Amino acid sequence: MATSPKLDAKIPEGPLQEKWTRYRSTVPLVNPANKRNLEIIVVGTGLAGASAAASLAELGYKVKAFCFQDSARRAHSIAAQGGINAAKNYQNDGDSVYRLFYDTIKGGDYRAREANVYRLAEVSANIIDQCVAQGVPFAREYGGYLSNRSFGGTQVQRTFYAAGQTGQQLLLGAYSALMRQVALGQVQMFARHEMLNIVLIDGKARGIIARNLITGELERHFGHAVILASGGYGNVFYLSTNAMGSNATAIWKAHKKGAFFGNPCFTQIHPTCIPVSGDHQSKLTLMSESLRNDGRIWVPKKLEDAKAIREGRLNPNDIKEEDRDYYLERRYPAFGNLVPRDVASRAAKERCDAGYGVNATGEAVFLDFAYNLKYKYGMMEANRLGIKNPTEQQLKELGRPIVEEKYGNLFDMYKQITGVDPYENPMMIYPAVHYTMGGLWVDYNLMTTVPGLYALGEANFSDHGANRLGASALMQGLADGYFIIPYTIGAYLSNEIRTKPISTNHEAFVQAENEVKDQINRLMSIKGKHTVDHFHKRLGKIMWNKCGMSRNAKGLQEAIQEIRSLREEFWKDVKVPGTDKEFNPELEKAGRVADFLELAELMCIDALHRNESCGGHFREEYQTEDGEALRDDANFSYVAAWEFKELGNWELHKEELKFENIKVAQRSYK
Amino acid sequence: MAKGMFSYSIGKKLIMGLTGMFLILFLIVHCGINSLIFLNDGGETFNRAAEFMSHNWLMRTLEVGLFLGFILHIIQSLILTLENKKARKIGYAVSNANANSKWYSRSMGLLGTLILIFLILHLRHFWVVSRFTDHISSGEETLYDEMKEVFANPIVVIIYVLAQISLAYHLMHGFQSAFQTLGLNHKKYTPIIKKIGTIYAIIIPLLFALMPIVMYLGIVK
Amino acid sequence: MKITLKVWRQKNKQDAGHFETYQLDNVSPDMSFLEMFDVLNEKLISEGKEPVAFDHDCREGICGMCSMYINGRPHGPLRGVTTCQLHMRSFKDGDTIVVEPWRSTAFPVIKDLTVDRSAFDRIIQAGGYISVNTGSARDANNILVPKENADKAFLAAACIGCGACVAACKNASAMLFVAAKVSQFALLPQGQIERKQRVLNMVKKMDEEGFGNCTNTGACEAECPKGISLENIARMNREYICAALTSEK
Ligand SMILES: Cc1cc2nc3c(=O)[nH]c(=O)nc-3n(C[C@H](O)[C@H](O)[C@H](O)COP(=O)(O)OP(=O)(O)OC[C@H]3O[C@@H](n4cnc5c(N)ncnc54)[C@H](O)[C@@H]3O)c2cc1C
Ligand code: HEM
Ligand code: SF4
Ligand code: FES
């Protein structure tokens, strides 16, 4: 297989360990006086966008930052709970840059680019330094040193955290850096603005069209370069752990203007989410993966017990130890409950499909803390206090405060949502859509196939291959924004110092704006019968059933047809109330769903073409005898980058993945 | 010192807190001396104390401070209350503020105004008489006699008692609030301060309220 | 469950606004409060009426976007939860619920239940940061922080910027929000260098934005979904006094 000539990843020469260092010392620079004249547009103020906007402004560039929320601080990164990885080896447990690199490649089922991942692992340590300097209050030990925990798919403790609110604290750190630059006049902030189109002039990205969400006005903004850091597209499934507003619009519009879309079908289904409770459900809530450190996952061994629990006749606490099936510990003794997400999710689905599900819908398994609460933490405390032969009750009382300190906010959240107290009863969990590894294809510089257009964070096809390890998205977002783009964008902008700001009256701006106007007018004029949510929910069902946790060729082919006809129906029958010249959340949603309806098709096409199982992409036709994913390295060791031709017609380009520093192996967590 | 330190909200609050604390201290002295009437010795000890207070230069200076304190406290409270009204021009249709705070903590302006009305009356009754007439200096009448005279009127007694209730609630919040304003909040000490505040807010106004009552009823002669 | 909703409707900033009453017959106790509004909006749209505009995003109590004043209390009847985490099981069949936007001069209404909270951003811009450029940081474990302080700083930093404190306060004061940020940095060694200027600038900005003055009623703490403590306000007062007294400007 050869890499398509349209995909030059621009990986620097030299040994893996030296690529980034060499790159940094040789990349062309822009002198400070010129930086002042260069304008950069950053769409998105999540970890990736805020860190990029702040860092670029610190360097002296003129930055315009956009987000659709009312404040930059509310980007979806805020919701990340568990933690952020970094190869600091503070725990002296054998971590290193190479090991983080190795774990990430392996965790991603060998579908990520070596050079990028290695660089990510290299800069990971700087991220923690930067965040601590900003005043991010990470968890600490009594001696004042930083504390770590472990996460799925790894055997070292390299995850830094701030209780169950790591994303929040990191984002507030980046947000504060951003606000500082706003105060200094280096960044112009546009909150409640949604980017709706990209402007290309002579093939280069030169600006965006954004809608002021309060007034409904369309605005034209020029930039010498445009950075998209608009997050993931998990909401294509309607129900996901993403925020309600998370969307694909920014990257989708860019895709339609020439940016190739990488691995669109790689979706991460997170194993520990609160199960669906009814039709009214608008989103799913994640229970942090860190819970798997101390929670044990099980279903009853006997079908009749499972049935009795479903019907409410049996209390799970009454099931005897020997009648419980700790299926992850059984199947994967080496990693147990800490297997990677894709593996854990599929295992839960397998048990539920086999009839062992434990809630009314049959789609839930237990995540049980009783054991560790009593025998790990309770016993630890008993030993500390010198209590000999403690009773069960004593152990429970001793262990509870420790569990409370570690997971209190998560337990409260669970209780709030379900009305069940997880200190007394095991939690019920089920997998849910969580993260999209796919995104705009980017080269080593994080530039898309459109010159001057960059994609950062979850919006790019990323360093996570076919499956992302826990606590690595925060790392990637901040690596991209703080430490990579400030260097790599210079390589492009050093050639742009003579480009004068282009007037937004340029015909390219006019045309891009007209495209947006047309779409809005079309949406407003349909005046059909069904709401936007109606279509979104139906799309979600198709995607979850046929392009979700497990996929097969027949289902995917059906899905493509169903999506096409749903899309047609949408454009005939959607109902958008109000006008476009006012604050109109329904219109915003309509535009986003219109894009999801196109992206969904590409996801299915991608899933259909990839005749192998890898990471989060599980094709039922390709599995081992004991139900594990079966990769096909001979034929599919590539990134699928799709070029948009017209709706319903995409051209596939392949970027071959070469593994020179890592031995490709069957992923095993046994 | 930062320019305009007292013109920003925390600075203004600081003045409230400091003057409030000063007034609290004043009330202890005031209440202590007045409580001498409970000795029921025909006002002898009380008169002597009052005499001492009014002929002592230190007390005279403090009296000026006291007036300033009151005036500052009142002016500042007016400014605060007006500004705070402006911060929410359109109110809520339904408000269940009792679920999150005590009514008296939200009614400091009103309670203060009640106290102010009382204060004017109070000054008219005693301070003006003792300072600007020669009834007392001429020895024609003692302050104690003046008290008996004033408190013979049941309406005055009722007003005084009501004012003390206002004062009690004002202090129930104000005492601990002043500490918070000065930044004195501590896991261990704050609960103690709050307790002392409550005790103070009950005892002092109670003693004050008893004075007109016992006099009116003739328990103290 | 049957629920009667009285909802504030206001077309835009200029509109005077009024209440409208809606009836919902099929409310499930497992619904979140916002999911009930989704149902209401679906109904309104299908009846050809304008849906109610309200802010929301994460729907798991962390982004701070949702903001409804429910039956006289910000974020509704429960303590320690945001509107999006409130579930209908907290209400009774047949209840009438009155829903209003945050009311504060500094938070003008944009539409219906949506308000403009950009004043908070401007307060942060005035000093809610540590001035460190990317790349200049030293190794993280070179800065030691006593666990107790780190924990306290974290608890203060947990503020989600929702504005419920302002909404609850009879003076529409933003002291709790500002104090949370000032405290976070005052408690950490990293925050010491700009400590004095930070508190002076942020308090000044807070006043300029038109928030009221604190009278220590404690309503903010009681209604804060993240349990930000009044201790922080005391700490900010302390910080302010120290900074103002020693300032040379
Ligand atoms: C519940 C949950 C828990 C998670 N926990 C973890 C964890 O513990 N560890 C970990 O590493 N990762 C975690 N993740 C993943 C991680 O949080 C995200 O992948 C990451 O934060 C994405 O950051 P981002 O900057 O790319 O995008 P986001 O934070 O999603 O930001 C997107 C930004 O783009 C803006 N935007 C989007 N579209 C437009 C448009 N059209 N116009 C203008 N602006 C636009 C938005 O306003 C927003 O500012 C979690 C994710 C979820 C959902
Ligand atoms: C003997 C009389 C009084 C005493 C002992 C007293 C004491 C106090 C104290 C201790 C406070 C709290 C200060 C703080 O929170 O920092 C306070 C607040 C207040 N006082 Fe008074 N006060 C008295 C009279 C008055 C009068 C006459 C008025 C008004 C006309 C008034 C109006 C207020 C107001 C509005 C507040 C609210 C501010 C706040 O709570 O912070 N007070 N008072
Ligand atoms: S202090 Fe509490 S109520 Fe106020 S903005 Fe922060 S989280 Fe919301
Ligand atoms: S919607 Fe994010 S906190 Fe409620």
Side-chain angles (χ1 to χ4, degrees), chain C residues 11 18 23 54 59 76 88 103 132 136 154 156-157 159 165 176-177 180 182 187 195 222-223 233 236 243-244:
Chain C
K11 239 188 134 24
H18 64 282
Q23 191 77 43
F54 61 93
R59 294 212 177 176
M88 295 312 291
R103 295 284 189 203
V132 51
S136 29
F154 169 75
C159 163
C165 43
L176 195 61
F177 168 79
V182 167
L187 283 159
R195 185 171 178 175
E223 299 292 13
I233 294 187
M236 175 157 80

Side-chain angles (χ1 to χ4, degrees), chain B residues 1-14 79-81 83-97 99-102 105-108 173 176-187 194, chain C residues 19 69 71-74 79 98 100-106 166-172 175 200 203-204 206-207 210-219 222-223 230-231 233-234 236-238 240-241 244-247 249:
Chain B
M1 205 170 87
K3 220 168 62 203
M5 161 171 188
F6 293 106
S7 55
Y8 294 116
S9 63
I10 298 182
K12 284 183 228 158
K13 278 287 303 176
L14 210 58
I79 297 174
L80 279 178
T81 310
E83 278 182 354
N84 290 346
K85 280 258 149 8
K86 242 179 36 198
R88 176 170 295 129
K89 289 187 188 125
I90 303 168
Y92 293 107
V94 177
S95 171
N96 183 9
N100 57 38
S101 52
K102 297 275 191 295
S105 76
R106 301 191 305 270
S107 315
M108 293 296 274
H173 175 68
Q176 54 88 28
S177 171
F179 283 84
Q180 168 83 2
T181 300
L182 297 178
L184 305 172
N185 183 316
H186 189 273
K187 274 238 149 45
K194 284 191 175 166
Chain C
F19 278 101
Y69 200 81
N71 280 346
R73 295 180 66 184
R79 287 211 165 187
V98 182
E100 300 171 72
W102 283 178
R103 295 284 189 203
S104 154
T105 309
V166 176
C169 175
K170 81 177 236 298
N171 312 318
M175 285 283 277
L200 294 177
V203 168
K204 177 163 178 247
M206 169 179 88
D207 288 358
F211 293 103
N213 306 286
C214 175
T215 57
N216 302 327
T217 67
E223 299 292 13
L230 281 184
E231 264 177 60
I233 294 187
M236 175 157 80
N237 290 341
R238 229 155 45 223
Y240 180 86
I241 296 168
L245 285 178
T246 56
S247 165
K249 278 187 208 145

Side-chain angles (χ1 to χ4, degrees), chain B:
Chain B
M1 205 170 87
K3 220 168 62 203
M5 161 171 188
F6 293 106
S7 55
Y8 294 116
S9 63
I10 298 182
K12 284 183 228 158
K13 278 287 303 176
L14 210 58
I15 294 177
M16 280 313 279
L18 287 171
T19 52
M21 278 208 171
F22 179 61
L23 295 180
I24 285 174
L25 287 175
F26 156 72
L27 284 189
I28 296 179
V29 178
H30 188 19
C31 186
I33 290 171
N34 284 21
S35 292
L36 294 175
I37 65 162
F38 295 121
L39 292 176
N40 210 354
D41 57 1
E44 224 191 286
T45 327
F46 169 74
N47 279 334
R48 233 179 308 128
E51 181 82 354
F52 171 76
M53 293 305 270
S54 57
H55 289 97
N56 180 311
W57 64 267
L58 179 69
M59 288 304 139
R60 271 284 137 94
T61 336
L62 279 180
E63 192 177 295
V64 177
L66 182 64
F67 266 90
L68 275 176
F70 261 114
I71 289 167
L72 259 179
H73 191 81
I74 292 165
I75 292 178
Q76 202 66 252
S77 81
L78 261 169
I79 297 174
L80 279 178
T81 310
L82 288 180
E83 278 182 354
N84 290 346
K85 280 258 149 8
K86 242 179 36 198
R88 176 170 295 129
K89 289 187 188 125
I90 303 168
Y92 293 107
V94 177
S95 171
N96 183 9
N98 286 332
N100 57 38
S101 52
K102 297 275 191 295
W103 70 267
Y104 49 85
S105 76
R106 301 191 305 270
S107 315
M108 293 296 274
L110 176 72
L111 293 168
T113 311
L114 292 179
I115 300 172
L116 179 65
I117 294 170
F118 157 79
L119 209 60
I120 295 167
L121 201 68
H122 181 58
L123 289 177
R124 165 78 194 72
H125 283 151
F126 298 104
W127 187 66
V128 175
V129 171
S130 77
R131 188 62 56 76
F132 300 107
T133 65
D134 51 6
H135 290 275
I136 290 170
S137 51
S138 63
E140 183 186 311
E141 217 182 8
T142 63
L143 199 56
Y144 189 76
D145 299 332
E146 180 69 25
M147 259 168 124
K148 272 164 78 180
E149 219 167 276
V150 171
F151 295 145
N153 181 346
I155 300 198
V156 171
V157 174
I158 289 170
I159 291 176
Y160 268 59
V161 171
L162 287 180
Q164 293 316 309
I165 295 174
S166 303
L167 181 63
Y169 278 112
H170 195 78
L171 289 169
M172 200 81 88
H173 175 68
F175 191 97
Q176 54 88 28
S177 171
F179 283 84
Q180 168 83 2
T181 300
L182 297 178
L184 305 172
N185 183 316
H186 189 273
K187 274 238 149 45
K188 267 205 194 128
Y189 304 138
T190 297
I192 302 173
I193 290 172
K194 284 191 175 166
K195 267 196 207 99
I196 297 176
T198 311
I199 295 169
Y200 180 101
I202 293 170
I203 301 279
I204 300 277
L206 186 70
L207 286 174
F208 273 132
L210 280 177
M211 290 168 199
I213 293 176
V214 291
M215 285 208 144
Y216 177 72
L217 295 180
I219 299 172
V220 169
K221 304 236 160 51

Side-chain angles (χ1 to χ4, degrees), chain A residues 104-164:
Chain A
T104 308
I105 294 270
K106 175 187 171 195
D109 223 357
Y110 306 94
R111 289 294 172 265
R113 195 188 284 150
E114 270 193 347
N116 285 50
V117 176
Y118 195 85
R119 174 178 65 184
L120 173 65
E122 264 183 296
V123 301
S124 66
N126 302 1
I127 298 173
I128 303 302
D129 300 342
Q130 183 64 28
C131 295
V132 165
Q134 286 170 344
V136 170
F138 283 120
R140 285 178 187 265
E141 308 290 351
Y142 280 101
Y145 291 92
L146 291 160
S147 170
N148 290 115
R149 54 164 67 140
S150 54
F151 246 62
T154 62
Q155 287 170 315
V156 292
Q157 296 203 337
R158 65 160 74 99
T159 306
F160 294 79
Y161 63 100

Side-chain angles (χ1 to χ4, degrees), chain A residues 71-72 175-176 178-185 187-189, chain C residues 118-129 177 181 201-202 205 209:
Chain A
S71 162
Y175 160 79
S176 68
L178 178 63
M179 289 299 108
R180 173 172 162 243
Q181 294 304 317
V182 172
L184 293 172
V187 174
Q188 233 185 318
M189 184 65 225
Chain C
S118 50
F120 272 8
D121 282 335
R122 290 189 291 274
I123 294 176
I124 298 293
Q125 282 158 25
Y129 48 75
F177 168 79
K181 205 28 93 187
N201 290 349
M202 288 179 79
K205 190 77 206 168
E209 291 292 341

